[in-house]
Amino acid sequence: MAEAAPRRHPTLDEVAERAGVSRSVASRALNNAPHVSRAKREAVERAVRQLGYVPNPTARALATRQTGAAALIVSGEDPSIFADPFFARVIVGASAALDEADLHLMLCLAASDRGRKRVEELLRSRGADGVMLMALREDDPLTRMADEAQMPVVFGGRPVGPAPRWYVDVDNVGGAREATEHLVSLGRRRVAVICGRLDTEAGRARYRGYRDAMLGAGLDPFPPLEGDFTERSGAAAMTALLAEHPDVDGVFAAKDNMAAGALRTVREAGRRVPADVAVVGFDDLTVARIADPPLTTVHQPVEALGREMARMLVALVNGQDPTPLVLPTRLTVRASA
Amino acid sequence: MAEAAPRRHPTLDEVAERAGVSRSVASRALNNAPHVSRAKREAVERAVRQLGYVPNPTARALATRQTGAAALIVSGEDPSIFADPFFARVIVGASAALDEADLHLMLCLAASDRGRKRVEELLRSRGADGVMLMALREDDPLTRMADEAQMPVVFGGRPVGPAPRWYVDVDNVGGAREATEHLVSLGRRRVAVICGRLDTEAGRARYRGYRDAMLGAGLDPFPPLEGDFTERSGAAAMTALLAEHPDVDGVFAAKDNMAAGALRTVREAGRRVPADVAVVGFDDLTVARIADPPLTTVHQPVEALGREMARMLVALVNGQDPTPLVLPTRLTVRASA
DNA sequence: GCTTCCAGTGGGAGCGCTCCCAAAGCGCAC
DNA sequence: GTGCGCTTTGGGAGCGCTCCCACTGGAAGC
């Protein structure tokens, strides 16, 4: 290209002029719209190539009132929640689906005051065509913001309280039930639970699943022993458990991280897994395979979760009315139980 | 608010009218610009409140030629590279820094053809005010795209080849050297290495650090045994290592995941860590603490990496010319060595 | 008293695109 | 030859904001 390539980007007007057509025709040609003769279409394409024209997405956004972006908003108490590899996998799935719909992904960590403030601005200003919301806690300020948002909202995992209109979730109750039933089927009778945060619906649902299974087997469910989904909290919970119930022979931990922490504690206490205490986790992320022994755990389709959230959002943006989705979980048996 | 709150968002014109001022004054008041009397400023603020006005970021972007967003682009061979918790931590850091500068974070996974195509569009269309680039491989197509990008580019980790103008990296060579020296100081003499991908600068630099330390100690460095930064590849490499060099007594793995894989293999081969084989990793992410035994590893300041990348980008966007940055690493001694 | 200056103000021209709509061109049935 | 209906075309009015600039009037300086 021997063009003097000015620093400025060429505009559609310049393309039109060069192609000897009007701006309207050039615009139509560019968007593959009808009502453009073959000759002019080609002339426009040629001009685009010669000028190295790239449409200005901002101008297009202003004219169409569509930003071309979707936001993934992760709530939580502090930003380190995002260190959970769970979100990374959600993003892999969501990103692929958004790519297909030619939407960009904006990522907002709403786990700080500053972050929440910016999310609120985004929601109120229509800075995206729609949003996906994750990791909401009870009475999360994001719930209200989402209600007032001037754009489609898809929830990833149901929030505590009434189910929103559009969400994608995994079968937390069923997964937890299956995990617990597995422990029972192994002959364990004193099966304890290390819950996730009970101010999240996932935490509650997994406890319900555990409880259902215990009652169904005619066993006494343990009261909820709450962790915060981290390795450290799992270890701490296990320490408390061993102190209070030295005869525990099975543990369902509502998250692999916590299960790994429990494993460590059990080991340090000189007991064997699974011989003395069998442990089942929840998630089936990398840590489950790295743990020693490798974790029996409830597999949840994390990338699919992200993908389906994104697809649901795309449907909403396109004016459709998709139905909520609950994805199945399934037990993956390894060495820990 | 008893306003009939029409579906449409109020515009700045309506705010101005309601406040009894011109659009210019309203604009200035909104942006805290000078040349607005106290009375009118307050009138505008009142009108904004009454109308529930929120500025339209797209219109602002078009007028100012600033999108208000920065993109983090993650390259790689396939999208699962993003499952590495490393990136999540980078994002936590970058997000905080961008929040401070009132920039939104766009996340682009360029590890698929589709993703790369969209990144190229983004780069050419000025869809962001600047970009951060990570995980580039040798001859990565993103290198060329970045060269031609019409916006500031900050590299996270140097790419293979000549160093770019602006980057933030960690001291891979120094970290690897320290890890190896630690093994040597423990009396290990047959210290092998499980490299990261050698088509990345991080992989190469960590091998160089290992090699330097071995030569410095008068020992024979092992030839590079390449993994791909995953647990599985670490395990496979360790298997090969044990077969070929049964007398190996120390291993430096260029990534915690690979170290964890090596740990598993060593254990399965009936040897003890660290008694028979001492292992040092690199990263110091969660997996290092979960591994059994907990990993001695080179800690790298991942969130700081993200934060500094974002800050550097903000500086560039503001027309400054920051200097490249190499962040220190430090050895964290745990049980595996 | 007069100029000089400057904070304060509003008009208006963009930013680069989409899209409505009126007008033009053309084939075809009558 | 006329009228109808179709595709094709381009003019122009936005989308909602910023920012330049010309203008006003009162305070300060001489």
Side-chain angles (χ1 to χ4, degrees), chain A residues 110-141:
Chain A
S112 67
D113 287 339
R114 182 82 198 207
R116 263 185 296 276
K117 204 176 121 257
R118 302 213 72 231
V119 164
E120 179 148 30
E121 280 170 26
L122 180 80
L123 254 30
R124 290 175 27 102
S125 70
R126 291 198 44 76
D129 294 340
V131 300
M132 297 171 278
L133 237 48
M134 304 201 76
L136 268 61
R137 293 156 303 151
E138 195 170 15
D139 300 322
D140 198 305

Side-chain angles (χ1 to χ4, degrees), chain A residues 154-158 164-171 304-312 322-328:
Chain A
V154 170
F155 286 78
R158 273 162 286 194
R165 178 88 181 261
W166 295 288
Y167 65 85
V168 182
D169 202 352
V170 299
D171 183 9
L305 174 65
R307 189 182 60 231
E308 296 305 327
M309 287 170 64
R311 286 193 182 154
M312 190 172 285
T323 38
L325 212 55
V326 177
L327 303 174

Side-chain angles (χ1 to χ4, degrees), chain A residues 12 23 27 31 53 60:
Chain A
L12 188 54
R23 193 174 359 91
S27 173
N31 295 300
Y53 170 77
R60 179 173 287 176

Side-chain angles (χ1 to χ4, degrees), chain A residues 182-190 249:
Chain A
H182 177 70
L183 286 164
V184 171
S185 78
L186 257 32
R188 311 297 163 139
R189 287 298 171 264
R190 289 168 302 280
D249 59 4

Side-chain angles (χ1 to χ4, degrees), chain A residues 273-274 279 293-296 333-337:
Chain A
V273 176
V279 176
L295 276 174
T296 291
V333 178
R334 295 205 183 83
S336 74

Side-chain angles (χ1 to χ4, degrees), chain A:
Chain A
M1 237 34 68
E3 309 295 331
R7 212 64 206 147
R8 255 186 74 270
H9 276 207
T11 69
L12 188 54
D13 277 297
E14 297 171 50
V15 171
E17 188 182 345
R18 177 143 196 156
V21 303
S22 74
R23 193 174 359 91
S24 308
V25 170
S27 173
R28 268 180 247 128
L30 227 67
N31 295 300
N32 287 318
H35 305 306
V36 181
S37 68
R38 186 186 177 89
K40 302 227 161 180
R41 198 177 287 276
E42 282 167 2
V44 170
E45 280 162 10
R46 208 174 311 123
V48 164
R49 232 173 299 121
Q50 290 173 344
L51 259 41
Y53 170 77
V54 186
N56 178 324
T58 305
R60 179 173 287 176
L62 183 59
T64 59
R65 296 140 173 280
Q66 302 226 60
T67 63
L72 177 69
I73 299 174
V74 180
S75 188
E77 211 159 44
D78 83 294
S80 69
I81 186 182
F82 189 70
D84 186 339
F86 172 81
F87 296 105
R89 301 297 283 267
V90 170
I91 288 175
V92 170
S95 168
L98 291 179
D99 273 350
E100 264 171 45
D102 271 323
L103 286 175
H104 285 295
L105 173 62
M106 303 186 35
L107 182 61
C108 306
L109 305 191
S112 67
D113 287 339
R114 182 82 198 207
R116 263 185 296 276
K117 204 176 121 257
R118 302 213 72 231
V119 164
E120 179 148 30
E121 280 170 26
L122 180 80
L123 254 30
R124 290 175 27 102
S125 70
R126 291 198 44 76
D129 294 340
V131 300
M132 297 171 278
L133 237 48
M134 304 201 76
L136 268 61
R137 293 156 303 151
E138 195 170 15
D139 300 322
D140 198 305
L142 277 179
T143 311
R144 181 189 51 73
M145 296 187 206
D147 274 353
E148 297 169 358
Q150 307 287 319
M151 61 183 94
V153 176
V154 170
F155 286 78
R158 273 162 286 194
V160 172
R165 178 88 181 261
W166 295 288
Y167 65 85
V168 182
D169 202 352
V170 299
D171 183 9
N172 285 308
V173 175
R177 193 189 304 122
E178 199 180 353
T180 311
E181 284 167 353
H182 177 70
L183 286 164
V184 171
S185 78
L186 257 32
R188 311 297 163 139
R189 287 298 171 264
R190 289 168 302 280
V191 178
V193 61
I194 301 178
C195 302
R197 297 181 58 124
L198 293 173
D199 60 351
T200 68
E201 182 57 23
R204 293 182 184 193
R206 290 177 199 173
Y207 181 70
R208 283 204 302 277
Y210 157 81
R211 200 168 145 281
D212 290 356
M214 290 295 277
L215 293 174
L219 299 173
D220 275 348
F222 279 55
L225 178 59
E226 193 172 355
D228 65 357
F229 292 126
T230 63
E231 196 265 354
R232 201 178 305 266
S233 75
M238 193 69 220
T239 302
L241 205 53
L242 286 177
E244 235 177 297
H245 304 275
D247 59 346
V248 61
D249 59 4
V251 174
F252 166 56
K255 179 111 192 157
D256 285 350
N257 285 345
M258 295 197 298
L263 244 45
R264 177 160 62 86
T265 300
V266 170
R267 196 163 54 222
E268 286 169 8
R271 310 217 194 169
R272 292 159 306 159
V273 176
D276 301 325
V277 184
V279 176
V280 178
F282 201 113
D283 264 6
D284 197 20
L285 295 172
T286 308
V287 52
R289 263 175 320 215
I290 287 178
D292 176 33
L295 276 174
T296 291
T297 188
V298 178
H299 176 88
Q300 55 169 328
V302 187
E303 286 186 21
L305 174 65
R307 189 182 60 231
E308 296 305 327
M309 287 170 64
R311 286 193 182 154
M312 190 172 285
L313 188 58
V314 169
L316 283 168
V317 167
N318 292 334
Q320 301 165 27
D321 182 5
T323 38
L325 212 55
V326 177
L327 303 174
T329 55
R330 81 162 190 281
L331 188 71
T332 299
V333 178
R334 295 205 183 83
S336 74

